[in-house]
Amino acid sequence: MITEKDNEKIVFVNSFRGSGIGDFGWKLKNELEKKVGIKYIEIEPSWKGLIHLWKGIMWCNSKVVFNIGFTSFGRSIYRNFMNFLMLKFFSTLHKAPSLILHDSIDTSNLEHSGYSYSGIVRLGGNIATKMLSNFKIFVFSRRFYDILNEKYGFKHIKYFPFPTESRTCLECYRRDKNPLLLNIGYMAPYKGLEILPEIKNKLNDIETVIVGNFHKTLLSTEAGSKYRDTMVNLMKDSEIKLAGYMEDSNLIEFVEKHRTIGILPYISGYNASYSAILFVTLGIPVVATNIDVFKESQNNGAGIVLVDRNPNSFVSAIKDILETPGLSEELIEKDRKYCAKYSMFNFSDLIIDS
């Protein structure tokens, strides 16, 4: 898919929409378009798409910005590896092209990736990462920044906390409405959703909803299919609603009908949490597991309460928020400041000026 403006200043290559990275890139593209001319190219995750992409941009003279991950060309490890070979070649022809890198073989949990032969994948991922040495790389995780700097010796790395979609916190928390526990994002084992029924039960069966579909790559495996069946039955038995994907406007309308609290009981995390920062954009208090990905967001000022990963700790924190107006207001005020400082608007300025 290609769209363009006259006199474009930036060629923006984005992962396919329907993936978290691609959806992020689409929103960033809309922000960039307000400031500069853009030619937008969206990756088609196929061999045909790979050939079409590189035939179209290899010799272009405009500034090129890539928004990609290690699976931007689908599940094929060969196709993705070939893409990194092309990135390496591209970077020898163009001075310091820009790349927004969302994930890494060094920080990913291969058990949930849908790949087999994880040893080969890890070796290939390390080699692919080394091919990015000539790029100006943007990351949303200090841990990832340190890995690229210390393990790979990259020098042209810029860190920016994961950006909110709006410079203004939407403040969707409604104190006069019935409480709701909400989880947002695709469903996968590392997100620890199996403890939601016990939390719900300990809070007098508080309404609980999961917005998001099952991870597509995971579902292509036998283990992933079993996980889906187990979770569907568990949530059905516990009367936890699986709402599937929601458009942003529908999501906002839904949360504004409740006194919503975000709940993220992750077992492990990756480089940044889109779900946590979406709650920040919405001005909804969040209770999350005390792991590095959420600690970083909290350290950057997000309105997140961190707890040990057990039902009683989550229940206690949720009760505190529901019963203490001053606490919920304190968390929302933090969200206001985070949005003002770390919005996609501000991140797009960094992309343009770098």
Side-chain angles (χ1 to χ4, degrees):
M1 175 181 177
I2 301 178
T3 61
E4 62 182 293
K5 280 186 174 183
D6 293 335
N7 303 316
E8 68 272 0
K9 294 184 179 179
I10 292 178
V11 176
F12 185 61
V13 179
N14 188 28
S15 293
F16 57 95
R17 277 175 287 170
S19 64
I21 294 173
D23 292 343
F24 170 89
W26 179 254
K27 292 171 182 176
L28 177 60
K29 170 254 187 188
N30 291 335
E31 202 65 60
L32 289 168
E33 279 186 324
K34 299 173 185 176
K35 303 172 182 178
V36 295
I38 293 290
K39 174 185 281 187
Y40 176 76
I41 303 176
E42 187 168 307
I43 289 171
E44 177 188 336
S46 65
W47 285 108
K48 180 181 177 181
L50 180 69
I51 295 168
H52 179 71
L53 169 65
W54 289 108
K55 282 181 65 177
I57 69 167
M58 184 59 74
W59 309 106
C60 77
N61 295 318
S62 299
K63 176 177 180 177
V64 180
V65 177
F66 296 86
N67 178 61
I68 65 167
F70 277 73
T71 56
S72 289
F73 276 91
R75 193 182 171 199
S76 168
I77 58 176
Y78 306 107
R79 198 160 54 232
N80 283 294
F81 189 79
M82 179 61 69
N83 182 54
F84 276 83
L85 280 174
M86 298 305 293
L87 286 166
K88 175 65 175 178
F89 182 55
F90 182 85
S91 69
T92 64
L93 301 176
H94 301 264
K95 184 178 179 180
S98 297
L99 185 148
I100 305 165
L101 192 59
H102 290 256
D103 55 27
S104 165
I105 204 69
D106 296 282
T107 58
S108 299
N109 188 333
L110 293 175
E111 181 183 350
H112 306 309
S113 69
Y115 289 128
S116 56
Y117 308 110
S118 61
I120 296 175
V121 173
R122 191 166 295 282
L123 175 62
N126 287 330
I127 295 171
T129 302
K130 292 177 182 177
M131 294 179 188
L132 304 177
S133 59
N134 294 331
F135 278 85
K136 190 177 299 178
I137 299 176
F138 300 85
V139 298
F140 303 123
S141 161
R142 291 192 183 279
R143 177 190 175 204
F144 195 13
Y145 178 97
D146 290 341
I147 288 172
L148 293 176
N149 179 259
E150 295 170 10
K151 178 177 179 178
Y152 295 98
F154 291 179
K155 302 302 180 185
H156 306 295
I157 319 167
K158 290 184 179 290
Y159 167 76
F160 193 92
F162 198 91
T164 58
E165 295 176 21
S166 171
R167 286 182 288 173
T168 304
C169 175
L170 300 182
E171 302 190 34
C172 297
Y173 187 73
R174 297 291 179 261
R175 295 174 182 83
D176 59 337
K177 304 291 185 180
N178 292 328
L180 167 75
L181 297 185
L182 180 63
N183 178 273
I184 296 176
Y186 65 79
M187 298 175 66
Y190 75 91
K191 297 195 174 183
L193 300 176
E194 65 275 2
I195 74 170
L196 290 182
E198 190 172 351
I199 295 170
K200 176 179 183 287
N201 180 259
K202 288 178 178 289
L203 288 166
N204 297 319
D205 283 327
I206 186 173
E207 184 179 357
T208 304
V209 176
I210 298 172
V211 171
N213 294 316
F214 289 90
H215 193 287
K216 290 181 180 178
T217 305
L218 186 65
L219 289 183
S220 66
T221 68
E222 182 179 355
S225 296
K226 289 181 179 177
Y227 169 75
R228 175 194 56 200
D229 295 342
T230 299
M231 293 301 290
V232 167
N233 291 330
L234 177 62
M235 299 307 165
K236 182 179 179 181
D237 292 343
S238 306
E239 296 184 334
I240 292 176
K241 181 179 179 182
L242 300 180
Y245 173 78
M246 279 191 191
E247 295 287 346
D248 290 352
S249 58
N250 294 332
L251 178 62
I252 292 170
E253 182 181 357
F254 175 66
V255 298
E256 286 185 326
K257 293 178 180 178
H258 302 85
R259 186 165 24 140
T260 307
I261 295 176
I263 180 167
L264 300 171
Y266 286 29
I267 297 170
S268 61
Y270 292 96
N271 295 318
S273 173
Y274 172 84
S275 298
I277 302 307
L278 177 56
F279 284 128
V280 170
T281 302
L282 296 173
I284 291 173
V286 181
V287 182
T289 311
N290 189 17
I291 58 174
D292 56 356
V293 66
F294 299 127
K295 286 180 182 177
E296 181 166 330
S297 294
Q298 187 191 61
N299 290 339
N300 287 327
I304 299 176
V305 176
L306 300 180
V307 299
D308 292 334
R309 192 186 174 276
N310 61 72
N312 288 335
S313 295
F314 272 91
V315 168
S316 178
I318 292 164
K319 282 183 175 179
D320 285 346
I321 294 171
L322 292 174
E323 297 170 2
T324 313
L327 176 56
S328 61
E329 178 53 38
E330 177 186 332
L331 295 172
I332 294 167
E333 175 60 22
K334 289 182 176 181
D335 290 345
R336 294 186 190 109
K337 292 178 179 178
Y338 190 103
C339 289
K341 191 174 183 180
Y342 300 124
S343 68
M344 203 167 280
F345 178 90
N346 294 336
F347 180 61
S348 65
D349 281 342
L350 180 64
I351 293 291
I352 292 168
D353 295 339
S354 296

